[in-house]
Amino acid sequence: MIDFKQLADQYRDELLERVMPFWMEHSIDHEMGGFFTCLERDGSVYDTDKFIWLQCREVWMLSVLYNKVERRQAWLDAAVQGAEFLKKYGHDGQYNWYFSLQRDGQPLVQPYNIFSYTFAVIAFGQLYLATGNAEYADVAKRTFDIVLQKRQCPKGQWSKAAPGARALKDFALPMILCNVALEIEHLLEPAFLQQTIGICLHEVLDVFYRPELDLIVENVSQEGELVDCHEGRLLNPGHAIEAMWFIMDLGKRLGRPELIEKAAHIALREVEYGWDKQYGGIFYFMDRLGRPLQQLEWDQKLWWVHIETLITMLKGYELTGNPECLTWFEKVHDYTWSHFRDPEHDEWFGYLNRRGEVLLTLKGGKWKGCFHVPRGLFQCWQTLQRLAEQS
Amino acid sequence: MIDFKQLADQYRDELLERVMPFWMEHSIDHEMGGFFTCLERDGSVYDTDKFIWLQCREVWMLSVLYNKVERRQAWLDAAVQGAEFLKKYGHDGQYNWYFSLQRDGQPLVQPYNIFSYTFAVIAFGQLYLATGNAEYADVAKRTFDIVLQKRQCPKGQWSKAAPGARALKDFALPMILCNVALEIEHLLEPAFLQQTIGICLHEVLDVFYRPELDLIVENVSQEGELVDCHEGRLLNPGHAIEAMWFIMDLGKRLGRPELIEKAAHIALREVEYGWDKQYGGIFYFMDRLGRPLQQLEWDQKLWWVHIETLITMLKGYELTGNPECLTWFEKVHDYTWSHFRDPEHDEWFGYLNRRGEVLLTLKGGKWKGCFHVPRGLFQCWQTLQRLAEQS
């Protein structure tokens, strides 16, 4: 029998005593503002470029902790300085968010990536909740408007698709919007919120989820059909599993238990499909027809895949009572804590090879920052706490 | 003592009896023209998209074999049908070469990649030698003119660099041009050829080769300085080693033995630096300061890295007599033949994990086609043959 209280404490302690202190100590650029995210195993800075995804995500994470855990001034101060850096340097003046900046804020890579925008939305939306500063709400709303405008052609001028070419749409955007919509519901008109959520749910569950496979695919045709090409065959189990807790949150918020049931079903199917029967852990990429992948990193075990699975399985168990969710939580918990957690230094490794050996010693980089580990620890702690109180 | 004659036969037999038959049997699209390159372990087609790099490279390889090995009509016919497909569908009418096409020739990905152009140059240049068809010479020359025009800003409108951002130039283009210039010397004015070669040699040996490291870096600033960012720290030993046999060929052609000596020195340094002391094989990517890499595939062992090293070490031994080159040839030969060669089906594997286990079962894909394996076997065969005749 699982001791939910003890587990809740384990997740809380890891978050508050080993993970957030790492970011608070090593990531804040006290000289030029914003955050360093390229941090070695011991927290030393190995590169000073600033990636907008991760700048935004750290502002968001700090604001969430301030809003939901404890009114710690240091968290708020760090979030505000990050947001001020982003306001000043992160976009082109029209809320077109660059992909990356030099340490001093000089733009490096153009605003080609729509997720820089979506993470700006959640950062400023959450910081507005912490501060009540209307300027932050305004940045979030204006940026969200641009995201919605760009939805049909998110890459804009940087798209390499030849005109008239086989056009695909990808799962990532509707999936993230499921989460963004709930994140900024305090800033949206209720009717508009409902409509946006409805579209996202439809895309995730009726378009990218394929009943004939009982799996979510990463790309479909503009007409919503399966395509037999590399992108059209691509599966990313962690991505699908992460989306399922967004759906569960929506199901809870909307009072629609059938959404939660469906999400739990899909998540269980994905984790079984994605689990590496030989070495354990969940594969990064798979091909739905079993064909060779273009992604050379397909067999690696990534931190976020496993942490998102923990969140989903716990929420699935809490909301549906399905014991399979709990069994998978335990299995993935054991793998994750024994492989990703660094016993010597704070924070967790991000990239393991197929065998579960550390592939890169970094704690943060271009894609890993103050986000999946602390968000996952926070989410699991909260869910475990509720389960402990119920039992 | 190495038996050069026996080894020469081994490389020749592998080329003519196991590798070229694979491509002749499985890659030609008899229905729509051009080549399939996404071929599984046994040669079965798993994807029908057509990548211009590989379409061009197969035309080139078939033409080389026809020109230098044997006037086999089947090779010429296959090359000509590939070239006709490329002439009709591969570019936009202005010799701007797409990156990829659908099976039927419909463009898929825009002409963002300058190497699609450089490989078109060598394909049509070599096929002109085989056929005497002036139209092929014209395609090669016109495309080469565009390559030279695009040199300063090869990505054009698809560049994601923010204006005024830290601008880098990369090693790949001058390195490939060293090879392209010799490939089409029959089409260029001698003075122009000399000038182009001079610029490329300068860039490779005086800009990207760094005496303070005794290594070649992948990216430098526009001013030719080392930069401390991910791209600026990046090393690709196989890339540097491949370039060294291009330089040796140029040194031989220009009668400049000091170029050959320098190239052999750099190649030896690179292979020692890039060799995986734990599991054998040459790493794909490294960081010159030992920092974590962005490339998740950094520790994998790739076919072309090893095959290019075989060519370079043999040429280095032939042209300088340095016994270290021969020692490294033998070491890499043993690794390559025992790990990349597929004992069950023709052609070689392309992608191994760090331990040398097969990571992807494909024989061809988006980046692997009828090129490095047959070119390497051909080059080694020829060099071994000369060494056998001398000894």
Side-chain angles (χ1 to χ4, degrees):
Chain A
M1 190 58 203
I2 291 186
D3 184 338
F4 289 118
K5 179 74 185 79
Q6 187 188 325
L7 264 184
D9 292 348
Q10 179 181 337
Y11 278 81
R12 182 201 60 211
D13 292 350
E14 186 73 11
L15 173 67
L16 299 180
E17 291 166 24
R18 290 191 83 243
V19 170
M20 288 315 298
F22 178 90
W23 296 102
M24 290 299 291
E25 183 176 350
H26 301 294
S27 79
I28 301 167
D29 184 350
H30 294 285
E31 197 178 326
M32 299 199 175
F35 307 103
F36 300 117
T37 64
C38 293
L39 301 174
E40 254 288 18
R41 183 174 180 186
D42 63 358
S44 56
V45 177
Y46 68 87
D47 196 278
T48 59
D49 284 353
K50 290 172 177 167
F51 304 95
I52 298 299
W53 277 37
L54 300 186
Q55 300 293 311
C56 292
R57 284 171 154 191
E58 188 154 350
V59 169
W60 177 85
M61 191 71 237
L62 291 161
S63 304
V64 165
L65 294 175
Y66 182 83
N67 290 333
K68 299 186 178 171
V69 175
E70 186 188 314
R71 302 250 144 193
R72 246 188 239 187
Q73 192 62 37
W75 288 340
L76 186 63
D77 291 346
V80 167
Q81 71 81 26
E84 291 298 319
F85 181 84
L86 280 166
K87 252 176 53 195
K88 192 163 173 187
Y89 299 113
H91 61 94
D92 66 354
Q94 306 296 316
Y95 302 101
N96 291 304
W97 296 86
Y98 295 113
F99 182 76
S100 62
L101 313 172
Q102 289 183 186
R103 182 183 173 190
D104 62 6
Q106 163 84 25
L108 265 179
V109 174
Q110 295 274 25
Y112 79 93
N113 186 297
I114 194 156
F115 301 104
S116 307
Y117 297 62
T118 60
F119 300 131
V121 172
I122 66 171
F124 283 90
Q126 194 66 230
L127 186 60
Y128 165 67
L129 285 179
T131 60
N133 182 339
E135 203 186 353
Y136 296 147
D138 187 57
V139 174
K141 275 189 290 189
R142 282 169 185 261
T143 302
F144 191 60
D145 285 344
I146 301 179
V147 170
L148 295 180
Q149 283 162 32
K150 284 168 110 43
R151 272 188 80 177
Q152 299 313 314
C153 186
K155 290 188 190 163
Q157 66 190 94
W158 293 283
S159 168
K160 291 176 188 158
R166 172 178 76 211
L168 300 174
K169 51 183 181 180
D170 77 76
F171 175 58
L173 188 53
M175 173 258 194
I176 289 289
L177 288 177
C178 282
N179 179 248
V180 171
L182 271 196
E183 272 289 326
I184 59 160
E185 65 170 314
H186 54 289
L187 300 176
L188 301 178
E189 295 291 329
F192 180 74
L193 176 71
Q194 292 293 331
Q195 187 200 2
T196 304
I197 289 175
I199 294 171
C200 294
L201 282 173
H202 166 69
E203 294 233 324
V204 171
L205 295 176
D206 303 330
V207 178
F208 290 95
Y209 169 71
R210 312 299 307 187
E212 65 272 49
L213 303 170
D214 201 10
L215 290 169
I216 284 173
V217 295
E218 282 292 298
N219 297 282
V220 294
S221 71
Q222 289 296 331
E223 298 73 35
E225 299 299 326
L226 289 178
V227 186
D228 186 4
C229 65
H230 281 100
E231 299 79 10
R233 292 190 300 268
L234 191 66
L235 305 175
N236 182 329
H239 212 189
I241 294 167
E242 178 181 6
M244 292 307 103
W245 75 257
F246 298 168
I247 300 277
M248 291 177 193
D249 278 4
L250 280 172
K252 197 171 162 185
R253 169 73 181 72
L254 302 173
R256 290 179 56 186
E258 83 285 6
L259 288 179
I260 296 169
E261 289 290 341
K262 184 159 187 181
H265 165 80
I266 296 173
L268 284 169
R269 162 78 176 144
E270 294 277 351
V271 73
E272 292 206 25
Y273 191 89
W275 186 257
D276 180 351
K277 277 83 185 168
Q278 192 170 357
Y279 295 106
I282 299 162
F283 288 120
Y284 188 10
F285 291 108
M286 302 175 86
D287 182 290
R288 64 180 168 83
L289 299 179
R291 296 188 183 153
L293 289 134
Q294 286 184 346
Q295 287 79 6
L296 299 184
E297 65 274 29
W298 72 273
D299 69 347
Q300 296 176 10
K301 310 293 162 65
L302 268 66
W303 84 107
W304 67 264
V305 169
H306 295 77
I307 290 164
E308 296 303 317
T309 302
L310 294 175
I311 302 173
T312 303
M313 291 302 146
L314 268 186
K315 283 188 194 264
Y317 178 68
E318 181 197 14
L319 298 171
T320 71
N322 185 335
E324 284 183 74
C325 291
L326 196 58
T327 305
W328 271 107
F329 167 76
E330 291 186 82
K331 185 165 175 172
V332 178
H333 167 95
D334 290 344
Y335 182 91
T336 303
W337 283 75
S338 61
H339 288 82
F340 288 102
R341 186 174 186 273
D342 178 0
E344 287 187 36
H345 295 276
D346 288 345
E347 249 283 341
W348 291 14
F349 296 117
Y351 302 90
L352 313 179
N353 68 16
R354 181 168 176 182
R355 282 177 166 84
E357 298 160 341
V358 175
L359 178 75
L360 293 170
T361 52
L362 62 81
K363 295 293 173 58
K366 182 176 180 179
W367 305 104
K368 182 175 189 290
C370 177
F371 188 66
H372 284 287
V373 175
R375 182 177 77 169
L377 293 170
F378 171 72
Q379 285 280 351
C380 289
W381 162 29
Q382 297 295 303
T383 308
L384 288 161
Q385 191 70 39
R386 287 190 300 270
L387 287 167
E389 285 158 14
Q390 286 160 23
S391 64
Chain B
M1 189 58 202
I2 292 185
D3 183 338
F4 289 119
K5 180 72 185 80
Q6 188 189 324
L7 264 184
D9 291 349
Q10 180 181 335
Y11 278 82
R12 182 202 59 210
D13 292 350
E14 187 73 11
L15 173 67
L16 299 180
E17 290 167 24
R18 290 190 82 245
V19 170
M20 288 314 300
F22 177 90
W23 296 102
M24 290 298 293
E25 183 176 349
H26 301 294
S27 79
I28 301 167
D29 184 351
H30 293 286
E31 197 179 326
M32 298 198 177
F35 306 104
F36 300 117
T37 65
C38 293
L39 302 174
E40 255 287 17
R41 184 175 180 186
D42 63 359
S44 55
V45 177
Y46 69 86
D47 196 277
T48 59
D49 284 354
K50 290 174 178 167
F51 304 95
I52 298 298
W53 279 36
L54 301 187
Q55 299 293 311
C56 292
R57 285 170 153 192
E58 188 155 350
V59 169
W60 177 84
M61 190 72 237
L62 291 161
S63 304
V64 165
L65 294 175
Y66 181 82
N67 290 333
K68 299 186 178 172
V69 174
E70 185 188 313
R71 301 250 144 192
R72 246 189 239 185
Q73 192 62 37
W75 287 341
L76 185 63
D77 291 346
V80 167
Q81 71 81 25
E84 291 298 319
F85 181 84
L86 281 166
K87 253 174 52 193
K88 191 162 174 186
Y89 299 114
H91 61 94
D92 67 353
Q94 306 296 316
Y95 303 102
N96 290 303
W97 295 86
Y98 295 112
F99 182 75
S100 62
L101 313 172
Q102 289 183 186
R103 182 182 174 190
D104 61 6
Q106 163 84 27
L108 264 178
V109 174
Q110 295 275 23
Y112 78 93
N113 186 297
I114 195 158
F115 301 104
S116 307
Y117 296 63
T118 61
F119 300 132
V121 172
I122 65 171
F124 283 91
Q126 195 65 231
L127 187 59
Y128 165 65
L129 285 179
T131 59
N133 182 339
E135 203 186 352
Y136 296 147
D138 187 59
V139 174
K141 276 189 289 189
R142 283 170 185 260
T143 302
F144 190 60
D145 286 345
I146 301 177
V147 170
L148 296 179
Q149 285 163 30
K150 282 168 119 28
R151 273 188 78 177
Q152 299 313 316
C153 186
K155 290 188 190 161
Q157 67 191 91
W158 293 284
S159 169
K160 291 175 187 159
R166 174 177 76 212
L168 299 174
K169 51 182 180 180
D170 77 79
F171 175 59
L173 188 52
M175 174 257 194
I176 289 287
L177 289 178
C178 282
N179 179 248
V180 170
L182 271 196
E183 272 287 327
I184 59 159
E185 63 170 315
H186 56 289
L187 300 176
L188 300 178
E189 295 291 327
F192 180 74
L193 176 70
Q194 292 293 330
Q195 188 202 358
T196 305
I197 288 176
I199 294 171
C200 293
L201 282 173
H202 166 71
E203 294 231 323
V204 171
L205 295 177
D206 303 330
V207 178
F208 290 95
Y209 169 71
R210 312 301 306 187
E212 66 271 49
L213 304 170
D214 202 8
L215 290 169
I216 284 174
V217 296
E218 284 292 297
N219 297 282
V220 294
S221 71
Q222 288 295 330
E223 298 74 34
E225 300 298 327
L226 288 178
V227 186
D228 187 3
C229 66
H230 281 99
E231 298 80 9
R233 293 190 299 268
L234 190 65
L235 304 175
N236 182 328
H239 213 188
I241 295 168
E242 179 181 6
M244 292 307 104
W245 74 259
F246 297 167
I247 301 278
M248 291 178 194
D249 278 3
L250 281 171
K252 198 171 160 185
R253 168 73 180 70
L254 302 171
R256 291 180 56 187
E258 83 285 4
L259 288 178
I260 296 170
E261 287 291 341
K262 184 158 187 183
H265 164 80
I266 296 172
L268 284 168
R269 162 78 176 143
E270 295 278 350
V271 72
E272 291 206 24
Y273 191 90
W275 187 256
D276 180 350
K277 277 83 183 168
Q278 193 170 357
Y279 295 105
I282 300 162
F283 287 120
Y284 187 11
F285 291 109
M286 303 175 85
D287 182 290
R288 64 181 169 82
L289 299 178
R291 296 188 183 152
L293 289 136
Q294 286 184 347
Q295 288 77 7
L296 300 184
E297 66 275 30
W298 71 274
D299 70 347
Q300 296 176 9
K301 310 293 162 65
L302 269 65
W303 84 107
W304 66 265
V305 169
H306 295 77
I307 290 165
E308 297 303 317
T309 302
L310 294 176
I311 303 174
T312 302
M313 292 301 146
L314 268 186
K315 284 188 195 264
Y317 178 67
E318 182 197 13
L319 298 171
T320 71
N322 186 334
E324 284 183 72
C325 291
L326 196 59
T327 305
W328 271 108
F329 167 75
E330 290 186 83
K331 186 165 174 171
V332 178
H333 167 93
D334 290 344
Y335 183 90
T336 304
W337 283 75
S338 62
H339 289 82
F340 288 102
R341 186 173 185 272
D342 178 0
E344 285 187 41
H345 294 277
D346 289 344
E347 248 283 342
W348 291 15
F349 297 118
Y351 302 89
L352 313 179
N353 69 15
R354 180 168 177 183
R355 282 177 164 84
E357 297 160 341
V358 175
L359 177 75
L360 293 171
T361 52
L362 63 81
K363 296 292 173 57
K366 182 176 180 178
W367 305 104
K368 183 175 190 288
C370 178
F371 188 66
H372 284 286
V373 175
R375 182 176 77 167
L377 294 170
F378 172 72
Q379 286 280 352
C380 290
W381 162 29
Q382 298 293 303
T383 308
L384 288 162
Q385 191 71 39
R386 288 190 298 271
L387 287 167
E389 285 158 14
Q390 286 160 22
S391 63

